[in-house]
Amino acid sequence: MKRSTFLLGAAALALTACAGAPPPTTLGPDGKPLPKLYRIGPGDKAQIQFRMLDAINALRQAKGVAPLELNSRLTAAAATHARDMSAQNRPWHFGSDGSSPITRIQRAGYDGRLVGEAISETYETELETLGAWMDAPNTRTVILDPTARDMGFSWYQESNGKIWWNLVLGAPGESGFIPVNAPA
């Protein structure tokens, strides 16, 4: 009886050890772990948008800046440009039709002022992308701009997993575009 209990316990322990082992990490040529593919599902849109909004508002609050609100028109402009960047296969601020961020928000029906736009081509999550934007002085300045009140945020994910992120900030009730980095 003792022997069968011992063998059963040893077998259970061995199975637990095998099942609990994490999969091996794949390393890239630089010796660093390769990123895991971040696949966005069809039902993830609201969760991702509000996670980004909450994260940006936490950063703004830490700097004493008013929070942003998600704006459907700016989000529509961001979605259009994210898909267009994929079609062009390059992250840049101009559309394949020559449109600028100002033109795109006007086409989407936003009647405020463009504060700025942040774009990215990556396989990273939205929060990893936000971290990269905050590391760059020009996009950090846009994200923390105290005149911004509205946010549009969207993306386009290709079948290979590449994500084209687009963040657009606006100031409602104002018109035109005043670059945040312009000399006074």
Side-chain angles (χ1 to χ4, degrees), residues 52-69 115 130 134 140-151 169-170:
M52 181 62 95
L53 178 66
D54 290 345
I56 288 175
N57 281 338
L59 293 167
R60 289 173 65 86
Q61 182 180 19
K63 292 292 186 181
V65 180
L68 301 173
E69 291 184 15
V115 172
L130 176 59
M134 291 302 290
R140 180 178 53 247
T141 300
V142 168
I143 291 167
L144 299 177
D145 187 309
T147 66
R149 292 290 181 272
D150 292 331
M151 178 182 111
L169 299 185

Side-chain angles (χ1 to χ4, degrees), residues 10-54:
L13 184 61
L15 285 174
T16 303
C18 291
T25 302
T26 306
L27 300 179
D30 60 357
K32 294 182 180 178
L34 292 174
K36 300 204 182 328
L37 181 62
Y38 180 56
R39 183 63 66 185
I40 299 172
D44 296 338
K45 182 177 181 178
Q47 181 182 13
I48 290 170
Q49 286 178 327
F50 285 109
R51 190 168 36 237
M52 181 62 95
L53 178 66
D54 290 345

Side-chain angles (χ1 to χ4, degrees), residues 59-148:
L59 293 167
R60 289 173 65 86
Q61 182 180 19
K63 292 292 186 181
V65 180
L68 301 173
E69 291 184 15
L70 199 57
N71 181 282
S72 62
R73 292 180 178 185
L74 290 178
T75 296
T80 299
H81 191 56
R83 183 175 287 274
D84 189 47
M85 286 189 296
S86 170
Q88 295 181 70
N89 196 32
R90 62 179 170 181
W92 76 321
H93 295 282
F94 295 95
S96 57
D97 62 355
S99 63
S100 70
I102 296 170
T103 306
R104 288 192 298 276
I105 69 169
Q106 289 171 342
R107 285 180 189 164
Y110 185 73
D111 61 358
R113 174 178 61 84
L114 175 71
V115 172
E117 178 180 59
I119 58 174
S120 180
E121 167 197 16
T122 184
Y123 291 88
E124 297 177 333
T125 69
E126 66 279 1
L127 296 181
E128 290 170 318
T129 300
L130 176 59
W133 285 338
M134 291 302 290
D135 284 342
N138 58 341
T139 49
R140 180 178 53 247
T141 300
V142 168
I143 291 167
L144 299 177
D145 187 309
T147 66

